[in-house]
């Protein structure tokens, strides 16, 4: 198999959510959602469901691949759980956007997220997640960590025979909460640093490179990952390499033959808190308050952007119009386009809805 052509990184600031915006200006009807085959049985019992967008269609993602995402794709993730009394089912529905996902895929995922919300009687809390900047809630669904890989549905790249495998380099690094995130990175020697663990997957031969300063959790996660690969491939062999003692003549280094490009990840950070009211006729926002805000600042007739500095919450008043209620995601998207950090997570909260993340942002 020849190497994949590098896809263009998704340009968040240029996007205007054209597909999503045009669709959500129309009434999202319950009967339309009911005709979507993917939603049949969704949200009827506690648990996790994941779908991938393929050619504008919603397709089930195999359960054995939960936690694995391709950067050329967009996904919908539904988490269903019981309330504290155990009487009712509650939901969080996320759409996850890969860096190389197209605007059409992004728009379809956003539109279908609203449709799934409608199918579940507006009970879910809606979220948008961007690759590499996922919320803590999203990460909590995958205790073994999130794996992001190059390729996707459009490239046709998925499972291939190990004999024809294009070498791939994976990085295992702990986030601020101690969870180990796994992502495919370019095969560039300078990216192999002492603080992390790396796997070079050559198909029938797999190397685990333990950086001198890597953690036991990262090393353990990498070993589990290799174990899964070997169980799938049968004849594959693996070797653990101790960082700092591997000569540059070793095959591990020789296979790291790519050059670093300028497609670096955007840095996360925390902004100042802001409260803004949405002008629903123009989709522009008016600054109401800087710094801390609370529920008393929110009015039922309006829609507000509550920027916690990390996550952007859209609070939709109970007396807002139907159009305002279904356009929460575009309102936040448009706000973030001008923020300088458009990849931040978005959560849409309707008045009266239970959302622990929003409550925590108010209390912080």
């Amino acid at each position: 198999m020849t190497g994949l052509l590098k896809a263009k990184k998704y340009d968040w600031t240029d996007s205007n959510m054209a597909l999503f915006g045009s669709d959500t200006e129309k009434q999202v009807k319950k009967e339309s959602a009911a005709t979507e085959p993917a939603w049949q049985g969704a949200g009827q019992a506690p648990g996790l469901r994941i779908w991938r967008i393929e050619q504008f269609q919603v397709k089930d993602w195999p359960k054995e691949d939960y936690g694995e995402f391709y950067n050329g794709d967009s996904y919908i993730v539904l988490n269903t759980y019981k309330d504290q009394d155990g009487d009712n089912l509650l939901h969080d529905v996320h759409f996850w956007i890969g860096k190389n996902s197209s605007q059409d895929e992004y728009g379809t995922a956003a539109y279908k997220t609203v449709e799934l919300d409608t199918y579940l009687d507006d009970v879910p809390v809606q979220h948008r997640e961007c690759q590499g900047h996922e919320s803590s809630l999203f990460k909590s669904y995958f205790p073994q960590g999130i794996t992001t890989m190059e390729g996707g549905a459009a490239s046709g790249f998925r499972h291939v025979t190990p004999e024809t495998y294009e070498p791939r380099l994976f990085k295992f690094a702990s986030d601020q909460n101690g969870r180990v995130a796994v992502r495919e990175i370019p095969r560039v020697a300078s990216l192999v640093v002492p603080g992390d663990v790396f796997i070079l997957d050559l198909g029938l031969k797999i190397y685990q490179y333990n950086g001198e300063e890597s953690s036991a959790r990262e090393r353990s996660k990498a070993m589990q990952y290799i174990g899964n690969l070997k169980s799938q491939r049968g004849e594959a062999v693996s070797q653990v390499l101790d960082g700092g003692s591997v000569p540059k003549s070793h095959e591990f280094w020789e296979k790291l033959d790519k050059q670093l490009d300028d497609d670096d990840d955007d840095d996360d950070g925390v902004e100042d808190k802001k409260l803004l009211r949405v002008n629903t006729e123009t989709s522009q926002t008016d600054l109401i308050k800087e710094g801390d805000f609370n529920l008393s600042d929110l009015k039922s007739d309006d829609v507000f952007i509550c920027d916690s500095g990390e996550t952007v919450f859209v609070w939709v008043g109970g007396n807002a119009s139907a159009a305002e209620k279904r356009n929460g995601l575009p309102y936040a998207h448009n706000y973030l386009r001008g923020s300088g950090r458009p990849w931040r997570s978005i959560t849409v909260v309707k008045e009266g809805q239970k959302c622990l993340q929003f409550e925590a942002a108010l209390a912080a």
Side-chain angles (χ1 to χ4, degrees):
M1 180 177 178
T2 58
L4 291 171
L5 293 176
K6 182 174 178 59
K8 179 182 177 182
K9 182 178 177 180
Y10 193 89
D11 192 337
W12 297 100
T13 56
D14 285 346
S15 169
N16 59 9
M17 288 186 74
L19 177 63
F20 183 37
S22 62
D23 280 334
T24 54
E25 289 174 355
K26 305 172 184 178
Q27 178 67 36
V28 181
K29 297 182 179 179
K30 180 79 173 182
E31 53 268 29
S32 174
T35 64
E36 170 56 65
W39 305 151
Q40 302 308 306
Q44 303 308 303
L48 197 66
R49 292 284 303 274
I50 302 178
W51 301 268
R52 180 169 72 168
I53 304 301
E54 301 178 17
Q55 298 295 312
F56 301 99
Q57 302 297 313
V58 183
K59 302 293 185 180
D60 274 299
W61 190 237
K63 289 189 180 297
E64 62 269 22
D65 293 337
Y66 279 18
E68 297 183 0
F69 301 91
Y70 284 94
N71 68 4
D73 292 328
S74 295
Y75 300 77
I76 295 174
V77 177
L78 173 67
N79 184 52
T80 301
Y81 60 99
K82 290 186 177 181
D83 63 12
Q84 291 183 339
D85 297 328
D87 298 328
N88 301 300
L89 291 175
L90 301 177
H91 318 273
D92 285 280
V93 58
H94 307 246
F95 65 101
W96 184 95
I97 312 300
K99 286 188 175 179
N100 296 331
S101 179
S102 71
Q103 184 172 325
D104 284 349
E105 290 171 327
Y106 176 105
T108 301
Y111 168 65
K112 286 295 185 179
T113 294
V114 175
E115 186 181 82
L116 179 56
D117 178 88
T118 302
Y119 178 77
L120 295 172
D121 298 320
D122 297 324
V123 173
V125 176
Q126 301 172 26
H127 309 264
R128 188 201 72 173
E129 310 283 350
C130 298
Q131 179 187 338
H133 307 278
E134 295 87 353
S135 66
S136 296
L137 177 64
F138 187 83
K139 291 178 181 178
S140 72
Y141 304 147
F142 310 103
Q144 299 304 314
I146 294 172
T147 301
T148 54
M149 299 172 288
E150 297 288 328
S155 68
F157 185 73
R158 199 163 188 308
H159 298 300
V160 297
T161 59
E163 293 83 356
T164 59
Y165 206 88
E166 176 74 9
R168 309 174 80 185
L169 181 64
F170 292 88
K171 177 181 178 179
F172 293 70
S174 301
D175 64 17
Q176 60 185 4
N177 296 315
R179 297 190 185 92
V180 179
V182 185
R183 65 186 180 99
E184 185 179 357
I185 62 174
R187 297 198 323 272
V188 177
S190 63
L191 297 180
V192 178
V193 295
D196 299 314
V197 174
F198 300 83
I199 284 179
L200 178 62
D201 184 0
L202 302 178
L204 292 177
K205 186 183 295 183
I206 307 167
Y207 291 112
Q208 175 176 333
Y209 179 97
N210 293 333
E212 305 98 295
E213 301 169 12
S214 60
S215 69
R217 184 187 297 268
E218 291 163 344
R219 297 182 184 196
S220 175
K221 172 67 177 178
M223 291 182 65
Q224 293 175 20
Y225 192 90
I226 288 178
N228 290 335
L229 290 180
K230 292 171 72 173
S231 67
Q232 295 171 12
R233 299 177 187 173
E235 298 179 359
V237 296
S238 62
Q239 181 181 355
V240 177
L241 307 175
D242 292 323
S245 63
V246 184
K248 294 300 182 182
S249 59
H250 193 282
E251 183 181 27
F252 175 84
W253 292 113
E254 290 182 347
K255 293 295 185 181
L256 305 185
D257 53 2
K258 302 297 183 183
Q259 298 297 315
L260 188 63
D261 59 28
D262 296 328
D263 191 22
D264 296 329
D265 284 344
D266 302 300
D267 291 330
D268 278 321
V270 178
E271 301 281 346
D272 294 331
K273 297 176 74 171
K274 297 177 184 177
L275 177 66
L276 308 99
R277 182 170 51 234
V278 177
N279 182 325
T280 53
E281 293 183 359
T282 65
S283 294
Q284 300 301 307
T285 54
D286 301 319
L287 181 63
I288 302 300
K289 201 173 192 180
E290 291 187 279
D292 292 337
F293 46 81
N294 53 56
L295 278 177
S296 65
D297 296 315
L298 308 176
K299 309 303 179 186
S300 295
D301 292 336
D302 292 317
V303 177
F304 292 86
I305 299 290
C306 307
D307 189 341
S308 75
E310 294 179 287
T311 298
V312 171
F313 297 91
V314 183
W315 187 89
V316 182
N319 296 332
S321 70
E324 291 167 350
K325 290 178 179 178
R326 67 176 181 267
N327 278 284
L329 288 168
Y331 292 148
H333 178 86
N334 290 336
Y335 164 72
L336 282 174
R337 286 178 65 196
S339 73
R341 295 171 58 237
W343 55 84
R344 286 191 286 158
S345 298
I346 295 172
T347 294
V348 179
V349 183
K350 307 178 190 77
E351 184 175 7
Q353 216 170 21
K354 185 73 173 178
C355 180
L356 295 178
Q357 295 73 36
F358 183 57
E359 294 173 8
L362 291 174

